[in-house]
Amino acid sequence: MGEFSRGGPTRRRILASGAAAAGLGLMGARPAFAAVDWKRHAGTTLEVNLIKGPRGDLLQRHAAEFTALTGIKVNSEVIPEQQQRQKIVIELTSGRPSFDVVHLSYHVQKRQFDKAGWLADLSGYLKDPNLTDPALREADFSAAGLQYAKTPKGEMRSLPMSVDYFILYWNKELFQKKNVAYPETFDDMMRAAETLTDPKAGTYGFVGRGLRNANMALWGAFFLAYGGRFLDDKGNLLIDGPEAVEATKLYQRLLTKTAPPGVVGFNWMESMAAFTQGRAAMWLDGVGWAPPLEDPNASRVVGKVGYAVVPKGPKDHASATYGDGIGVTAASTKKEAAYLYCQWAVSKIMGGRLLQAGGGVPFRDSILSDAEVQQGVKMPREWLDSVIGSSKISKLGLPVVVPVAEFRDIVGSAVTATLSGADPATELKKAAEQYRPILERSEKA
């Protein structure tokens, strides 16, 4: 982490902060579930596979409430993300998975799951008034959430659960010292970053992910702002066109001219360290990293942080979006009972708890806009406003393909090379030529 690690956030501090937040309950009375026949599968036992983290832990912690509501017993396994991804693919490929419900990372697994047909179609269940709360409607999910959950044929194969929108964190104190206005556009952001960069004072205008692979999250935000599309309607790769080149030029300029030394090795952790220590005026990253910024034990910028929707790009106003969902396996013999669990997992009370704990942001607009839920959010109001605003301009931050890891590695290497002076157009062309055959083979498999 280099010179920016001293006194900054550590993984232990971040986890401690999250654990403290997780103890918060949903304020006010719990909302009653609508007249759904919740007891129709009482006595059933479900096997549930979850990702270790705030979402999986929350579901496991409150599983007894679901059992009290439905009479359905839940055996849940919570596994660290990388191991969970490997385990579920092996089991689903076998055709005999040991679980009825599965927690999936959309931005990594969406295309793989759709192509393999591993999840049950929930479309019919959503339309059944005896099985679904009338408040749970497709239209209540953000556009990006529906794009993740639906297949090209329009089948709803999972329920969107938690989303991570990219927002702009900014240090109000550093802006005020230099009398710099908040940037409304990407051009404004570039100018502000240059003005706010003062190496002698040890402060820089911008910080973000420079590390290969991890940098695709930040680069994707720029690519979308320039009107970029990862794939055309026929599935052809579009990462070496003019939009990609211009986005990479902005990325290159920001990280080489206005970012801290060593940024080429920064992931989110190092970027957060620079920002929380007051060494960076702006940081563009996921909304879920906000709680530690307001923790006096982990941050030197408590009370000084501004939270805002990403500035407008030259051709589009978009918030790069990532997320996870929960679905019923096609092989399950307990699909209706498993669907009830999924419905409970994305319910108002569970989504409200998630939001208030700072452990994630629900995909459902009705939860974000609910006054009772908002009352219990401990983050500043600006943070919540940035979440609500981002939901209206959300777009997927990665292509929906099977070889996502290869995409991040290959294109990420090209983008990282520009930080050492390589030409963006040349590097992107090489990356596209290397990745296209990988993508084509994956689609034919």
Side-chain angles (χ1 to χ4, degrees):
M1 207 174 294
E3 62 180 303
F4 296 99
S5 62
R6 185 180 302 171
T10 64
R11 291 183 186 275
R12 182 175 297 174
R13 286 174 178 166
I14 290 171
L15 290 172
S17 175
L24 301 172
L26 186 63
M27 294 187 66
R30 291 182 181 176
F33 286 98
V36 172
D37 184 8
W38 289 98
K39 296 289 188 179
R40 64 194 296 166
H41 293 290
T44 301
T45 297
L46 291 176
E47 301 296 330
V48 179
N49 188 290
L50 301 170
I51 300 171
K52 177 68 178 174
R55 275 83 75 187
D57 292 347
L58 184 75
L59 293 176
Q60 189 176 60
R61 186 163 58 249
H62 294 282
E65 293 178 14
F66 174 75
T67 299
L69 176 69
T70 63
I72 299 170
K73 181 181 178 181
V74 177
N75 293 327
S76 56
E77 183 178 21
V78 181
I79 309 171
E81 190 171 40
Q82 294 302 322
Q83 294 93 312
Q84 191 260 7
R85 289 177 186 171
Q86 295 171 5
K87 174 183 172 64
I88 63 176
V89 168
I90 292 171
E91 291 203 27
L92 289 166
T93 301
S94 75
R96 299 184 299 277
S98 61
F99 42 86
D100 303 288
V101 175
V102 63
H103 185 185
L104 65 152
S105 297
Y106 283 136
H107 47 282
V108 175
Q109 298 167 310
K110 153 74 175 173
R111 177 60 178 156
Q112 182 182 31
F113 273 61
D114 283 356
K115 198 160 179 271
W118 286 333
L119 297 179
D121 183 4
L122 306 181
S123 305
Y125 296 156
L126 276 165
K127 297 174 184 177
D128 186 345
N130 296 314
L131 199 61
T132 300
D133 186 322
L136 183 64
R137 299 169 291 108
E138 282 191 20
D140 194 26
F141 295 106
S142 73
L146 289 177
Q147 190 175 351
Y148 271 140
K150 285 190 166 187
T151 68
K153 295 180 180 179
E155 301 161 332
M156 195 83 164
R157 293 276 174 174
S158 60
L159 297 182
M161 187 163 63
S162 176
V163 60
D164 195 21
Y165 300 118
F166 258 49
I167 65 170
L168 185 66
Y169 300 96
W170 58 293
N171 185 316
K172 294 181 178 180
E173 183 178 61
L174 293 180
F175 270 74
Q176 290 169 357
K177 283 182 178 179
K178 294 262 182 141
N179 195 29
V180 176
Y182 175 79
E184 300 294 336
T185 68
F186 270 43
D187 286 341
D188 292 342
M189 185 172 69
M190 185 69 242
R191 286 191 291 268
E194 291 177 332
T195 301
L196 292 163
T197 297
D198 186 354
K200 291 183 180 179
T203 56
Y204 297 85
F206 185 89
V207 70
R209 306 184 191 196
L211 185 66
R212 179 185 72 104
N213 187 302
N215 58 5
M216 282 295 90
L218 177 57
W219 180 84
F222 293 163
F223 182 51
L224 294 174
Y226 277 88
R229 295 173 62 201
F230 296 105
L231 307 170
D232 67 16
D233 294 336
K234 295 182 179 180
N236 298 310
L237 195 64
L238 300 174
I239 59 163
D240 54 350
E243 298 86 1
V245 173
E246 291 305 310
T248 308
K249 286 180 179 178
L250 175 65
Y251 177 92
Q252 181 185 44
R253 186 177 171 190
L254 274 170
L255 269 65
T256 58
K257 303 295 184 184
T258 70
V263 73
V264 69
F266 280 23
N267 198 338
W268 65 267
M269 192 73 178
E270 292 78 8
S271 299
M272 178 187 282
F275 189 83
T276 55
Q277 291 177 49
R279 302 290 185 90
M282 290 180 283
W283 175 35
L284 190 62
D285 214 300
V287 71
W289 302 128
L293 306 185
E294 301 295 338
D295 179 1
N297 295 316
S299 172
R300 296 178 183 175
V301 293
V302 175
K304 304 174 184 177
V305 181
Y307 306 90
V309 172
V310 173
K312 294 179 181 177
K315 293 187 178 180
D316 200 358
H317 193 197
S319 173
T321 302
Y322 309 87
D324 55 1
I326 193 160
V328 178
T329 63
S332 173
T333 58
K334 308 168 186 176
K335 290 185 177 65
E336 280 197 2
Y339 170 71
L340 289 176
Y341 179 88
C342 293
Q343 183 181 175
W344 169 79
V346 302
S347 65
K348 176 185 173 182
I349 189 165
M350 295 306 290
R353 283 169 170 160
L354 186 68
L355 185 68
Q356 291 175 355
V361 174
F363 267 112
R364 293 181 62 182
D365 294 333
S366 63
I367 299 175
L368 296 180
S369 61
D370 186 274
E372 183 183 14
V373 173
Q374 291 181 3
Q375 186 181 1
V377 174
K378 301 305 179 184
M379 293 298 296
R381 178 68 205 197
E382 277 187 16
W383 176 83
L384 183 59
D385 288 341
S386 74
V387 169
I388 296 171
S390 296
S391 72
K392 299 174 182 177
I393 59 169
S394 60
K395 288 194 174 182
L396 306 193
L398 284 169
V400 179
V401 295
V402 174
V404 176
E406 292 90 336
F407 176 86
R408 295 181 65 162
D409 283 341
I410 292 170
V411 183
S413 293
V415 173
T416 296
T418 68
L419 302 185
S420 299
D423 175 61
T426 301
E427 291 301 316
L428 289 173
K429 183 178 180 180
K430 289 192 297 185
E433 290 173 349
Q434 185 179 352
Y435 185 71
R436 278 194 182 98
I438 297 173
L439 177 60
E440 290 170 2
R441 285 196 298 270
S442 75
E443 288 300 306
K444 292 177 181 178

